[in-house]
Amino acid sequence: MEQYFLIIFIFAIAALLGFELITKVPPTLHTPLMSGSNAISGITIVGAIMASTGDGFLIQAVAFLAVTLAMINVVGGYTVTDRMLGSFKKKEKK
Amino acid sequence: MIYLYLLATLFFVFGIKRLTHVRTCASGNRLSEIGMAIAIVTTLIIFSDQVNWAVLVAGIVVGSGIGLVLAKRTPTTQMPELVAALNGFGGIASALVAMAEVLKGVAANDALPAGAAARSIADAGPVGAVATLAAILIGMVTLTGSFVAYGKLSGKKLSHPLEGSARHGLHLLLGLGAIALGAWMCFSTGGATTAAMLLLAALAAVLGVFLVMPIGGADMPVVVSLLNSYSGVAAAFAGFVIDNPLLVVVGSLVGASGLILTQIMCKAMNRSLGNVLLGGMGEESVAEDARDYTNIKSAGPEEVAMLLDGVSSVIFVPGYGLAVAQAQHVVKELADLLIARGCEVRYAIHPVAGRMPGHMNVLLAESDVPYDQLWEMERINGEFKNTDVVIVVGANDVVNPAARESSGPIAGMPILDVDQARTVVVVKRSLSPGYAGIKNPLFELDNTLMVFSDAKAALEGMVKELKDL
């Protein structure tokens, strides 16, 4: 249990930070914010990369799937968020 | 190397922070992209001599390719659906990370010399065992739940086969079954662990489908936001499983901020989260009843065109119907025609109009509607009484005067005061209620004209008639 103390601690602190980070968000930004944080949850790509350190066909197959799906989440998420935000920026300049 | 992880985390934190303000949002997303790049490269460097590069490169290339194509090709109207789908992919990726770790444990047991005791997942401690179970369970629920949300957002009717207590019973049974399978997975060794893991994943996938099914289509934005929070939590648990602090920190960050965003959205719609999740006011429970209405005046596009001839101010109120009909370009065309005739044109944007908050802004920006014509609710509400014609396109509850009553499902919800305008034209396919499932007295007012049609067809008709006048 002790080995996990530190990691549980940072889990709790990070969650608190997440709660505090978002207070007032203009409705216009709800969708981009959701999309942007969706892209961030693709951080699991780090775990997917680590998965490929295992041996055996099955593990490698799972790792490949995990990396592919996480990359779809990361690349797709950021690109679509940029698109949404881009359409706002264009308008404001005019 | 751990400092690079810290750096990546900082980029994410400030990225999210900047995403919450209009002026800084674009740079916020850029920051978080940089954070992600740092995280990926750092991980590749740390494990460079242990990873299977062929698998990694193939996965990264294929995944990035699919992600890019999806994000670039998807029309703006379908962005909410896309976000739902992407979120599902993230969820299953976290589940797979935990599953790979389980398989590694099984393989390590197989490699033990004869006579040595095999170690189960539970032997490694309770935290790891619970995290493994949770990552697989939440990840798979996120996957299938997101795809049901995707289906509902694209207009498919998916209803739950069961009602009332039988429905809750089924969900409880599936949940308990998943936990039992998870326990079996944690305490068994060898092939049994693998089998239990796969069954757990399958059961969780089924649970995800049933959980989202009873929730009404109009509540999907909240569901997608909640599932977004789930995929963060799944990533955090996957981080516990593989003992990676970056995953834990960033996952719980997204999990918590996603939860807050979900709550903010609920508040904007005047709903409680529990209410949404139980599907109490979902669209499935609504009976369409046109007979409740009296004093309905309906009109065709040509009558509206005649009405629009010579007016000096028009306000459009876009709603979900506009998005469904993909009518954002036609509405712009009609607006341009009116402006050319010397009429003042504005758009009234209700905070929760459309399928997602901010949906209308994205949609109208796509068809090049100038930013200064989009007026937010507080700013435009005083303007309606000096307006000749208000055209409500596919919106319902956000213009329902019933919200001003002291009781009722939407009592107290802020609305656009369109009924104060001289004439209100409502473009709507039928008299069916919106997601709140209640009657809209606006339709019965003497100054209201109903145009029963698909938004795009109706607006195209008005454009044509107005050109012919």
Side-chain angles (χ1 to χ4, degrees), chain B residues 73-108:
Chain B
R73 291 264 172 90
T74 307
T76 328
T77 36
Q78 283 160 22
M79 275 185 185
E81 285 100 309
L82 178 63
V83 175
L86 291 174
N87 188 45
F89 290 136
I92 190 184
S94 292
L96 288 171
V97 168
M99 286 157 87
E101 200 60 21
V102 173
L103 292 174
K104 278 185 195 172
V106 172

Short mmCIF file of all heavy atoms in Angstrom, two decimals, chain B residues 73-108:
data_model
loop_
_atom_site.label_atom_id
_atom_site.label_comp_id
_atom_site.label_asym_id
_atom_site.label_seq_id
_atom_site.Cartn_x
_atom_site.Cartn_y
_atom_site.Cartn_z
N ARG B 73 -12.37 16.01 -42.64
CA ARG B 73 -13.46 15.74 -43.56
C ARG B 73 -14.83 16.00 -42.96
O ARG B 73 -15.79 16.21 -43.67
CB ARG B 73 -13.40 14.28 -44.03
CG ARG B 73 -12.22 13.97 -44.91
CD ARG B 73 -12.62 14.05 -46.39
NE ARG B 73 -11.45 13.93 -47.24
CZ ARG B 73 -10.98 12.77 -47.69
NH1 ARG B 73 -11.59 11.66 -47.38
NH2 ARG B 73 -9.91 12.74 -48.46
N THR B 74 -14.92 15.91 -41.64
CA THR B 74 -16.24 16.01 -41.01
C THR B 74 -16.81 17.40 -41.16
O THR B 74 -16.15 18.38 -40.81
CB THR B 74 -16.14 15.67 -39.52
OG1 THR B 74 -15.49 14.41 -39.40
CG2 THR B 74 -17.50 15.57 -38.88
N PRO B 75 -18.04 17.52 -41.69
CA PRO B 75 -18.65 18.85 -41.80
C PRO B 75 -18.92 19.43 -40.41
O PRO B 75 -19.09 18.68 -39.44
CB PRO B 75 -19.95 18.59 -42.55
CG PRO B 75 -20.19 17.14 -42.51
CD PRO B 75 -18.89 16.47 -42.25
N THR B 76 -18.94 20.75 -40.33
CA THR B 76 -19.10 21.42 -39.03
C THR B 76 -20.35 20.99 -38.28
O THR B 76 -20.35 20.92 -37.06
CB THR B 76 -19.22 22.95 -39.23
OG1 THR B 76 -18.45 23.29 -40.36
CG2 THR B 76 -18.74 23.68 -38.03
N THR B 77 -21.40 20.69 -39.04
CA THR B 77 -22.64 20.29 -38.38
C THR B 77 -22.47 19.01 -37.58
O THR B 77 -23.20 18.77 -36.63
CB THR B 77 -23.74 20.03 -39.42
OG1 THR B 77 -23.13 19.44 -40.55
CG2 THR B 77 -24.43 21.30 -39.79
N GLN B 78 -21.51 18.16 -38.00
CA GLN B 78 -21.38 16.87 -37.32
C GLN B 78 -20.26 16.84 -36.30
O GLN B 78 -19.86 15.78 -35.83
CB GLN B 78 -21.18 15.77 -38.36
CG GLN B 78 -22.48 15.42 -39.05
CD GLN B 78 -22.26 14.72 -40.36
OE1 GLN B 78 -21.20 14.14 -40.59
NE2 GLN B 78 -23.24 14.77 -41.22
N MET B 79 -19.73 18.02 -35.94
CA MET B 79 -18.62 18.03 -34.99
C MET B 79 -18.97 17.42 -33.62
O MET B 79 -18.17 16.69 -33.07
CB MET B 79 -18.09 19.44 -34.82
CG MET B 79 -17.07 19.76 -35.90
SD MET B 79 -16.33 21.35 -35.63
CE MET B 79 -15.32 21.47 -37.10
N PRO B 80 -20.16 17.70 -33.09
CA PRO B 80 -20.50 17.06 -31.81
C PRO B 80 -20.40 15.53 -31.89
O PRO B 80 -19.86 14.90 -30.99
CB PRO B 80 -21.94 17.50 -31.57
CG PRO B 80 -22.06 18.78 -32.30
CD PRO B 80 -21.20 18.65 -33.51
N GLU B 81 -20.87 14.95 -32.99
CA GLU B 81 -20.78 13.51 -33.17
C GLU B 81 -19.32 13.06 -33.18
O GLU B 81 -18.95 12.06 -32.58
CB GLU B 81 -21.40 13.07 -34.50
CG GLU B 81 -22.91 13.07 -34.54
CD GLU B 81 -23.43 14.31 -35.22
OE1 GLU B 81 -23.01 15.42 -34.84
OE2 GLU B 81 -24.28 14.19 -36.11
N LEU B 82 -18.50 13.82 -33.90
CA LEU B 82 -17.09 13.45 -34.03
C LEU B 82 -16.42 13.45 -32.66
O LEU B 82 -15.67 12.53 -32.33
CB LEU B 82 -16.38 14.43 -34.97
CG LEU B 82 -14.89 14.16 -35.15
CD1 LEU B 82 -14.65 12.81 -35.79
CD2 LEU B 82 -14.23 15.25 -35.98
N VAL B 83 -16.70 14.48 -31.87
CA VAL B 83 -16.09 14.54 -30.54
C VAL B 83 -16.49 13.31 -29.73
O VAL B 83 -15.66 12.69 -29.05
CB VAL B 83 -16.49 15.84 -29.80
CG1 VAL B 83 -15.96 15.83 -28.37
CG2 VAL B 83 -15.97 17.04 -30.53
N ALA B 84 -17.76 12.91 -29.85
CA ALA B 84 -18.22 11.72 -29.14
C ALA B 84 -17.44 10.49 -29.57
O ALA B 84 -16.96 9.71 -28.74
CB ALA B 84 -19.72 11.51 -29.39
N ALA B 85 -17.26 10.32 -30.88
CA ALA B 85 -16.56 9.14 -31.40
C ALA B 85 -15.10 9.13 -30.94
O ALA B 85 -14.58 8.12 -30.47
CB ALA B 85 -16.64 9.11 -32.92
N LEU B 86 -14.43 10.29 -31.06
CA LEU B 86 -13.02 10.37 -30.66
C LEU B 86 -12.86 10.01 -29.19
O LEU B 86 -11.91 9.32 -28.80
CB LEU B 86 -12.49 11.79 -30.90
CG LEU B 86 -12.36 12.21 -32.36
CD1 LEU B 86 -11.99 13.69 -32.44
CD2 LEU B 86 -11.33 11.37 -33.09
N ASN B 87 -13.81 10.49 -28.40
CA ASN B 87 -13.78 10.21 -26.98
C ASN B 87 -13.87 8.70 -26.72
O ASN B 87 -13.17 8.16 -25.86
CB ASN B 87 -14.93 10.96 -26.32
CG ASN B 87 -14.87 10.89 -24.84
OD1 ASN B 87 -13.82 11.07 -24.26
ND2 ASN B 87 -15.99 10.57 -24.23
N GLY B 88 -14.71 8.03 -27.49
CA GLY B 88 -14.83 6.58 -27.37
C GLY B 88 -13.51 5.88 -27.64
O GLY B 88 -13.12 4.95 -26.92
N PHE B 89 -12.80 6.34 -28.65
CA PHE B 89 -11.49 5.74 -28.98
C PHE B 89 -10.52 5.91 -27.81
O PHE B 89 -9.77 4.99 -27.48
CB PHE B 89 -10.90 6.38 -30.24
CG PHE B 89 -11.65 6.02 -31.50
CD1 PHE B 89 -11.96 6.99 -32.44
CD2 PHE B 89 -12.03 4.72 -31.75
CE1 PHE B 89 -12.65 6.66 -33.61
CE2 PHE B 89 -12.72 4.37 -32.90
CZ PHE B 89 -13.02 5.34 -33.83
N GLY B 90 -10.52 7.10 -27.21
CA GLY B 90 -9.64 7.33 -26.07
C GLY B 90 -9.97 6.39 -24.92
O GLY B 90 -9.08 5.85 -24.26
N GLY B 91 -11.27 6.18 -24.70
CA GLY B 91 -11.71 5.30 -23.61
C GLY B 91 -11.21 3.89 -23.79
O GLY B 91 -10.61 3.29 -22.88
N ILE B 92 -11.40 3.33 -24.99
CA ILE B 92 -10.98 1.94 -25.19
C ILE B 92 -9.46 1.85 -25.16
O ILE B 92 -8.91 0.84 -24.71
CB ILE B 92 -11.55 1.32 -26.49
CG1 ILE B 92 -11.27 -0.19 -26.48
CG2 ILE B 92 -11.05 1.98 -27.72
CD1 ILE B 92 -11.67 -0.94 -27.70
N ALA B 93 -8.76 2.89 -25.59
CA ALA B 93 -7.29 2.85 -25.53
C ALA B 93 -6.83 2.66 -24.09
O ALA B 93 -5.92 1.85 -23.82
CB ALA B 93 -6.70 4.12 -26.14
N SER B 94 -7.46 3.37 -23.15
CA SER B 94 -7.09 3.21 -21.74
C SER B 94 -7.39 1.80 -21.24
O SER B 94 -6.61 1.20 -20.50
CB SER B 94 -7.84 4.22 -20.88
OG SER B 94 -7.39 5.52 -21.17
N ALA B 95 -8.55 1.27 -21.67
CA ALA B 95 -8.89 -0.10 -21.28
C ALA B 95 -7.84 -1.07 -21.82
O ALA B 95 -7.41 -1.99 -21.12
CB ALA B 95 -10.28 -0.47 -21.81
N LEU B 96 -7.41 -0.86 -23.06
CA LEU B 96 -6.42 -1.75 -23.67
C LEU B 96 -5.07 -1.67 -22.96
O LEU B 96 -4.37 -2.67 -22.83
CB LEU B 96 -6.25 -1.40 -25.16
CG LEU B 96 -7.42 -1.80 -26.06
CD1 LEU B 96 -7.22 -1.22 -27.46
CD2 LEU B 96 -7.55 -3.31 -26.15
N VAL B 97 -4.72 -0.46 -22.49
CA VAL B 97 -3.46 -0.31 -21.76
C VAL B 97 -3.48 -1.20 -20.50
O VAL B 97 -2.53 -1.93 -20.22
CB VAL B 97 -3.23 1.17 -21.36
CG1 VAL B 97 -2.09 1.31 -20.37
CG2 VAL B 97 -2.94 2.00 -22.60
N ALA B 98 -4.61 -1.16 -19.78
CA ALA B 98 -4.73 -2.00 -18.59
C ALA B 98 -4.73 -3.48 -18.96
O ALA B 98 -4.12 -4.32 -18.29
CB ALA B 98 -6.01 -1.63 -17.83
N MET B 99 -5.40 -3.81 -20.07
CA MET B 99 -5.47 -5.21 -20.50
C MET B 99 -4.09 -5.74 -20.90
O MET B 99 -3.74 -6.88 -20.59
CB MET B 99 -6.48 -5.35 -21.65
CG MET B 99 -7.92 -5.25 -21.17
SD MET B 99 -9.07 -4.76 -22.45
CE MET B 99 -9.48 -6.31 -23.17
N ALA B 100 -3.31 -4.90 -21.58
CA ALA B 100 -1.96 -5.32 -21.96
C ALA B 100 -1.14 -5.65 -20.70
O ALA B 100 -0.37 -6.61 -20.68
CB ALA B 100 -1.27 -4.22 -22.77
N GLU B 101 -1.36 -4.84 -19.65
CA GLU B 101 -0.62 -5.08 -18.41
C GLU B 101 -1.04 -6.40 -17.76
O GLU B 101 -0.20 -7.13 -17.24
CB GLU B 101 -0.87 -3.89 -17.46
CG GLU B 101 0.15 -3.72 -16.36
CD GLU B 101 1.56 -3.48 -16.88
OE1 GLU B 101 1.73 -3.06 -18.05
OE2 GLU B 101 2.51 -3.77 -16.12
N VAL B 102 -2.32 -6.70 -17.83
CA VAL B 102 -2.80 -7.99 -17.32
C VAL B 102 -2.15 -9.13 -18.09
O VAL B 102 -1.65 -10.10 -17.51
CB VAL B 102 -4.34 -8.09 -17.43
CG1 VAL B 102 -4.82 -9.48 -17.05
CG2 VAL B 102 -5.01 -7.05 -16.55
N LEU B 103 -2.12 -8.99 -19.41
CA LEU B 103 -1.54 -10.04 -20.25
C LEU B 103 -0.05 -10.20 -19.97
O LEU B 103 0.48 -11.32 -19.98
CB LEU B 103 -1.76 -9.71 -21.74
CG LEU B 103 -3.21 -9.78 -22.21
CD1 LEU B 103 -3.33 -9.29 -23.65
CD2 LEU B 103 -3.74 -11.20 -22.10
N LYS B 104 0.63 -9.09 -19.68
CA LYS B 104 2.05 -9.17 -19.33
C LYS B 104 2.23 -10.00 -18.06
O LYS B 104 3.16 -10.81 -17.96
CB LYS B 104 2.63 -7.77 -19.10
CG LYS B 104 3.01 -7.05 -20.38
CD LYS B 104 3.67 -5.73 -20.02
CE LYS B 104 3.74 -4.81 -21.23
NZ LYS B 104 4.20 -3.47 -20.88
N GLY B 105 1.34 -9.78 -17.09
CA GLY B 105 1.40 -10.54 -15.84
C GLY B 105 1.20 -12.02 -16.10
O GLY B 105 1.91 -12.87 -15.56
N VAL B 106 0.24 -12.36 -16.97
CA VAL B 106 -0.03 -13.75 -17.30
C VAL B 106 1.20 -14.37 -17.97
O VAL B 106 1.63 -15.48 -17.63
CB VAL B 106 -1.26 -13.86 -18.23
CG1 VAL B 106 -1.43 -15.28 -18.74
CG2 VAL B 106 -2.52 -13.40 -17.51
N ALA B 107 1.79 -13.60 -18.90
CA ALA B 107 2.96 -14.11 -19.61
C ALA B 107 4.13 -14.32 -18.65
O ALA B 107 4.87 -15.30 -18.75
CB ALA B 107 3.36 -13.13 -20.72
N ALA B 108 4.28 -13.41 -17.67
CA ALA B 108 5.37 -13.54 -16.70
C ALA B 108 5.19 -14.81 -15.87
O ALA B 108 6.17 -15.51 -15.56
CB ALA B 108 5.41 -12.31 -15.79
#
